Amino acid sequence: MQYLRATLLPFLFALISCESDQNKTSDDLFSLLKNTESIRGTVEYANSPYVTAGNRVYMVGHQDGSFPDLGWHIDGEMGGIWDHPIKLMDGFQAQVIINEDSICLSEAKSFINYPFANRFQYEVGELEVNRLQFIPDNQEGALVEFSLKNNGSSQNIGFVFTGLVDLMPVWLAERKGIQDGTDEARYNQENEAIVAKDSQNQWYVAFGSDYRPEYHGIDMNPCSAINRGNGARGSMQYSFTIANGETEVIRFFIAGSDQSIEHLWTNYNGLKKEYYPLFHEKKDRYTDIDSKSKLEISDKGFEQTFRWIKYNTDWLMREVPQVGRGLSAGIPDYPWWFGADNAYSIQGLLASGMHEDALSTIDLVMKLSREANNSNGRIMHETSTNGVVFNQGNLNETPHFIHTLWKAYQWTGDKTIIDKYYLDVKKGIEWIESQDKDGNGYPDGPGMMEIHGLHSEMIDVAVYQAAAYRAAANFASEVGDGNKANKYNEKASALEKKINNEWWVEDFNSYADFRTNRSQAIELIEAAMVRADTINKLLAIEELKKTLKKVRSSGSAGSLNGYVVHHNWVVNTPMEMKIADEQKAKKALQTARNYRNRFGMYVTGMDRDESQEKAEQWKAFSYVGAVMTLPTGVQAIAELNYGNPDEALKYLKMLENSFSYALPGSMYEVSPDYGMVAQAWNIYAVAVPVVEHFFGIRPNANEKRITISPLMPTEWESATLSKVLVGDNELSIERSTKGDVKIYTINQTQPIWEIDFVSKDISAMRINGENVKFDPESSEVVVTFSGQENRIEIE
């Protein structure tokens, strides 16, 4: 910690007691967290980010308690306190004054993360300081609580809080003609708080305490903060006498507004008055998150990972009243909305019981897409929280989102999905078909992987288009349009066949990265060789040399062919969507196992490096050499689609290796410690394999019917998944073993719903003690039952 002589402060320290606000609650919030699960950070990652999350406001700083400039989307400005579409503050500083020493609380001894709060611990001589941070739901404000426990003789303690104001607009504000003005701060006597305003905009922030300050000052800098921007600073000083063994608690309230000064004070005083019940409300809501799709297994490490990924996802819900409410992509640099990310993430939300969040995210993505693309069915790629669209949409996003829309209908049974979006589905199919520029049945352009110099056809785009046809056919059937449904299904079957015939590269036992002509393939291979040489990937260079030699001597120059060059993870999407032929899938899954490390799948397989344990810290933001959570989750699903639960569990355990690696309780975007500290699509990577495959839950809420086809990994002899939300039904499955008998106890809250239970390769089955007759030659047995509780025994 930083020590300064008190005489260096620009204001005097007075040894008098502060007056408490009449609304001050004596109970510290930390005491309310004693029975709440927490995870402690490590010294190695003290200088890395954390997030205090809220759907309106959130806070990002470092685990040592500091607020350095961080992030690249707005250079150095993605940390601090945000109230989208504006930033409020770069952060704050606290200072303790004992006798004549002034100590800045700049280096926390430890960082502890809770599902909905965080805590920093400091030691200042015999003074034990805890700093607790919490952001309530649906509030434009944050609370910071300091508790100071004196373990020595009675002491007079001074305390200084300095707010680092930086009111500024979010990314792409310049496209709306918005400019950042200079911030002006002053002390507001009536509210006993410092208030600041941007000189050119109606942007405000206020901060104060539940104590009356004995001194306040503007543009003081007692702890020598260095932050960029047009901000201002405000400091307030307090003092206490703390006896031996006693604890003093002081709270600070931070609120913002992009509307008016009146709205600011409504937010500020509302938070100051209601923070205690708001704390309890958020705590209760997180208990509810835990209770939905609740996994209980003997492997407590993975059970914890599963539970906290649900919390991580809730951290990313972003509500901006002027725009909408939906799941953002990641913290700190992607706190806005993406089409591609949510095509995956929404599926995880549905499997995790977060249906309201899934539906509001769908509504927002569809709204933004219509606005960006004149309602032509195309799904946007990226939109800032001010509503400005950065990218109207890559090719993979439209078909993939159509697939996700159908899954949302299956999980929720919400018929308004059809009413609102069936026309968009049809237009989306028309739009993606219109992107087939050469008429060969494949859209031309980038998908999830944008390869520099390539302007041809990508495997994931083709795969997700086939899935979109199936989804569109299902929607058409729901509205009674049989002719349309048949046409969509015919197109899906034809495209699936083409993918298996034209994208498979037998020499590599893999589907192709892309399809193009020979001359462009040679250019791409040569570029890949330069890239591999630049990042010193010797194995890739040798393989690329062989590939280049073969390509130069084979095929006609103008014909389009599939090429395996980069081993990008998207080559595994045919297995993710279960359209790969069985034998091709078996080979491709084996090939994919060559492109992973202990944290998961490489984004680009040619970057593999057995010695790489941590993501390299590049000076510029980059995904070169990255191992990422999404490709790893995709691979787990791919293995499960072809009957390999033990292999799938290996991938999920790889994800677990990244859990809490850097930020306790979270999983980074790039494994194990690079990119976003919380990433939305992680919920797809973790929840979908467990809920839809291990437990085999395939919902049809629209029909009040659920299919259960468990595919458990060998080591999960006992496993329970409780309160899985399907429409207005809640399903629980408990699995146990007794010798060679597998026992499934299935409960549902809507006993009239029918359940189809699917078993494979069994010799005997009993339901509620009664034998089930079936053809012993059959490889698959399906039994249908209803009722609140049923017990199935399988041998």
Side-chain angles (χ1 to χ4, degrees):
M1 279 175 283
Q2 183 178 356
Y3 283 75
L4 298 172
R5 298 294 291 180
T7 53
L8 297 179
L9 290 171
F11 44 87
L12 297 175
F13 169 52
L15 300 181
I16 59 174
S17 297
C18 296
E19 292 187 42
S20 174
D21 187 285
Q22 63 179 354
N23 292 318
K24 176 175 165 58
T25 302
S26 59
D27 293 336
D28 63 297
L29 296 181
F30 169 53
S31 65
L32 302 178
L33 288 171
K34 287 185 177 178
N35 295 320
T36 301
E37 181 182 15
S38 64
I39 304 177
R40 187 177 292 269
T42 63
V43 174
E44 291 80 6
Y45 283 92
N47 293 317
S48 66
Y50 72 89
V51 59
T52 312
N55 63 329
R56 295 295 305 275
V57 167
Y58 65 86
M59 184 187 316
V60 176
H62 271 190
Q63 293 176 44
D64 64 0
S66 66
F67 288 94
D69 292 335
L70 58 85
W72 60 271
H73 244 120
I74 306 174
D75 189 26
E77 295 285 7
M78 299 307 293
I81 304 173
W82 280 86
D83 180 11
H84 283 275
I86 63 169
K87 183 176 182 177
L88 302 179
M89 300 171 70
D90 284 328
F92 55 83
Q93 294 180 327
Q95 188 179 24
V96 175
I97 305 171
I98 303 176
N99 298 323
E100 295 185 352
D101 287 324
S102 175
I103 303 101
C104 293
L105 300 180
S106 57
E107 297 178 9
K109 178 184 176 182
S110 61
F111 170 79
I112 301 164
N113 216 6
Y114 298 86
F116 58 94
N118 5 75
R119 180 162 62 101
F120 303 82
Q121 294 179 311
Y122 304 85
E123 288 183 0
V124 183
E126 295 181 317
L127 196 66
E128 180 183 318
V129 181
N130 276 282
R131 168 180 138 197
L132 181 71
Q133 297 177 176
F134 158 71
I135 295 177
D137 291 334
N138 306 314
Q139 303 293 315
E140 290 183 84
L143 183 148
V144 183
E145 175 184 278
F146 290 90
S147 65
L148 298 86
K149 181 179 181 182
N150 183 13
N151 294 316
S153 58
S154 179
Q155 296 191 73
N156 294 315
I157 306 294
F159 193 89
V160 180
F161 183 91
T162 300
L164 309 175
V165 173
D166 188 10
L167 291 159
M168 63 174 292
V170 74
W171 183 55
L172 302 181
E174 68 280 0
R175 296 192 183 181
K176 299 186 77 172
I178 298 173
Q179 295 184 340
D180 181 22
T182 301
D183 299 334
E184 300 168 346
R186 61 181 176 83
Y187 182 74
N188 180 276
Q189 191 69 40
E190 180 182 355
N191 292 285
E192 298 177 348
I194 288 174
V195 59
K197 179 186 181 297
D198 182 276
S199 61
Q200 296 187 37
N201 302 279
Q202 294 296 310
W203 304 336
Y204 300 88
V205 64
F207 53 92
S209 176
D210 49 3
Y211 280 107
R212 179 174 297 124
E214 60 190 31
Y215 189 90
H216 50 81
I218 302 302
D219 289 331
M220 306 297 186
N221 194 11
C223 290
S224 304
I226 300 175
N227 294 90
R228 66 187 71 192
N230 299 323
R233 297 185 181 93
S235 301
M236 291 170 287
Q237 179 177 329
Y238 311 82
S239 62
F240 331 97
T241 299
I242 309 178
N244 171 260
E246 296 297 315
T247 299
E248 187 67 45
V249 177
I250 182 169
R251 299 182 185 91
F252 293 90
F253 306 91
I254 301 168
S257 173
D258 65 348
Q259 297 181 30
S260 66
I261 188 68
E262 293 80 12
H263 186 247
L264 170 73
W265 291 122
T266 297
N267 292 338
Y268 178 81
N269 289 310
L271 175 63
K272 194 173 181 181
K273 181 179 180 181
E274 300 294 334
Y275 74 89
Y276 198 75
L278 289 169
F279 185 90
H280 282 281
E281 287 173 14
K282 190 157 188 176
K283 183 179 180 181
D284 290 345
R285 191 173 66 78
Y286 269 71
T287 299
D288 185 63
I289 291 172
D290 174 37
S291 72
K292 298 289 177 60
S293 292
K294 184 179 181 67
L295 178 67
E296 296 174 274
I297 53 177
S298 58
D299 182 349
K300 296 305 175 184
F302 185 77
E303 181 184 302
Q304 183 184 55
T305 301
F306 186 90
R307 178 169 58 253
W308 277 75
I309 292 300
K310 292 189 290 183
Y311 301 153
N312 296 171
T313 308
D314 186 76
W315 297 351
L316 297 171
M317 285 302 297
R318 184 72 46 243
E319 184 164 355
V320 181
Q322 307 94 310
V323 184
R325 178 179 184 271
L327 186 62
S328 64
I331 294 290
D333 272 292
Y334 296 115
W336 37 76
W337 306 290
F338 287 75
D341 298 55
N342 275 314
Y344 295 101
S345 304
I346 288 168
Q347 297 181 55
L349 288 173
L350 294 164
S352 302
M354 302 178 184
H355 290 190
E356 181 181 337
D357 292 341
L359 293 173
S360 67
T361 302
I362 287 171
D363 288 343
L364 178 59
V365 171
M366 296 303 293
K367 170 195 168 187
L368 295 173
S369 297
R370 286 171 173 173
E371 293 172 352
N373 297 302
N374 196 28
S375 297
N376 69 352
R378 183 181 183 182
I379 297 297
M380 67 86 194
H381 174 65
E382 182 177 10
T383 303
S384 182
T385 53
N386 55 20
V388 176
V389 175
F390 176 69
N391 179 339
Q392 290 176 288
N394 296 328
L395 294 183
N396 57 296
E397 289 164 291
T398 298
H400 198 191
F401 208 83
I402 291 171
H403 166 75
T404 298
L405 280 174
W406 176 248
K407 290 194 72 173
Y409 183 60
Q410 289 181 296
W411 272 104
T412 66
D414 186 347
K415 294 189 181 298
T416 64
I417 292 175
I418 294 178
D419 298 337
K420 291 188 290 188
Y421 302 128
Y422 179 50
L423 180 59
D424 296 273
V425 168
K426 292 189 290 184
K427 287 183 175 181
I429 293 292
E430 292 172 1
W431 180 81
I432 193 66
E433 289 178 339
S434 73
Q435 303 307 299
D436 176 15
K437 305 303 182 183
D438 54 11
N440 68 349
Y442 305 118
D444 296 87
M448 281 295 286
M449 296 294 297
E450 187 169 354
I451 301 173
H452 181 70
L454 177 65
H455 303 285
S456 190
E457 299 154 356
M458 302 295 292
I459 180 66
D460 57 317
V461 177
V463 169
Y464 291 146
Q465 183 178 356
Y469 282 138
R470 294 292 183 199
N474 291 329
F475 277 123
S477 294
E478 282 291 304
V479 300
D481 191 347
N483 290 332
K484 201 77 170 175
N486 289 337
K487 288 179 180 179
Y488 285 141
N489 275 322
E490 288 170 3
K491 288 182 176 182
S493 296
L495 184 52
E496 289 165 1
K497 185 176 180 180
K498 279 171 64 69
I499 290 169
N500 278 289
N501 290 338
E502 298 177 357
W503 286 82
W504 180 252
V505 183
E506 186 67 29
D507 288 347
F508 285 89
N509 284 327
S510 173
Y511 288 91
D513 288 306
F514 54 84
R515 275 170 48 88
T516 189
N517 58 51
R518 188 175 69 182
S519 61
Q520 188 175 43
I522 291 171
E523 290 178 12
L524 291 167
I525 295 168
E526 290 175 340
M529 290 175 66
V530 172
R531 177 182 183 278
D533 182 62
T534 302
I535 60 177
N536 197 30
K537 302 297 180 182
L538 301 180
L539 291 175
I541 293 171
E542 290 305 311
E543 179 182 303
L544 289 167
K545 285 180 179 178
K546 294 177 182 178
T547 302
L548 182 60
K549 182 178 179 180
K550 186 167 186 176
V551 170
R552 280 175 169 163
S553 62
S554 64
S556 59
S559 62
L560 295 181
N561 294 290
Y563 294 95
V564 177
V565 175
H566 305 91
H567 296 284
N568 287 326
W569 68 272
V570 293
V571 300
N572 299 304
T573 54
M575 286 78 72
E576 176 202 15
M577 304 309 292
K578 205 176 181 179
I579 68 172
D581 293 342
E582 288 282 346
Q583 290 305 310
K584 290 184 174 70
K586 184 176 180 180
K587 293 177 182 178
L589 292 171
Q590 183 61 48
T591 298
R593 294 167 196 163
N594 296 321
Y595 301 102
R596 64 190 189 187
N597 68 12
R598 74 184 186 95
F599 296 108
M601 292 292 294
Y602 283 93
V603 174
T604 299
M606 64 180 283
D607 291 347
R608 72 188 188 278
D609 183 349
E610 293 302 322
S611 66
Q612 185 178 16
E613 288 293 290
K614 296 169 62 176
E616 300 173 24
Q617 300 301 305
W618 298 275
K619 292 182 180 180
F621 190 83
S622 171
Y623 290 108
V624 175
V627 170
M628 292 182 71
T629 52
L630 177 62
T632 306
V634 163
Q635 207 58 29
I637 293 168
E639 292 281 5
L640 286 160
N641 279 333
Y642 294 88
N644 304 320
D646 290 340
E647 287 295 331
L649 184 59
K650 289 180 183 178
Y651 285 106
L652 295 184
K653 296 293 286 182
M654 291 173 191
L655 290 174
E656 185 190 339
N657 288 337
S658 293
F659 176 71
S660 290
Y661 192 97
L663 174 58
S666 188
M667 187 185 295
Y668 269 58
E669 171 198 18
V670 179
S671 304
D673 59 358
Y674 192 63
M676 305 305 103
V677 303
Q679 181 72 24
W681 61 37
N682 292 349
I683 194 73
Y684 175 78
V686 174
V688 171
V690 171
V691 176
E692 295 188 10
H693 294 273
F694 287 168
F695 284 88
I697 298 172
R698 302 299 172 92
N700 287 285
N702 48 307
E703 300 177 4
K704 299 188 183 302
R705 194 179 196 97
I706 304 171
T707 298
I708 301 176
S709 181
L711 188 61
M712 288 287 184
T714 304
E715 65 182 73
W716 284 21
E717 292 187 352
S718 298
T720 300
L721 191 66
S722 306
K723 296 183 71 173
V724 181
L725 187 62
V726 183
D728 62 355
N729 197 0
E730 284 186 357
L731 179 74
S732 297
I733 303 174
E734 179 183 354
R735 195 246 199 181
S736 60
T737 57
K738 187 175 182 180
D740 294 332
V741 179
K742 298 178 181 66
I743 303 167
Y744 293 89
T745 303
I746 301 173
N747 283 273
Q748 60 176 347
T749 57
Q750 298 290 345
I752 64 171
W753 282 40
E754 290 193 328
I755 294 175
D756 296 321
F757 192 90
V758 182
S759 302
K760 296 182 179 181
D761 301 319
I762 65 173
S763 59
M765 174 185 283
R766 292 177 294 279
I767 297 182
N768 300 323
E770 296 186 8
N771 289 325
V772 175
K773 295 181 180 180
F774 58 89
D775 182 356
E777 300 299 320
S778 175
S779 62
E780 182 175 283
V781 177
V782 181
V783 293
T784 301
F785 50 83
S786 57
Q788 185 170 340
E789 179 174 310
N790 289 274
R791 177 185 169 98
I792 299 95
E793 298 172 84
I794 298 170
E795 297 181 39

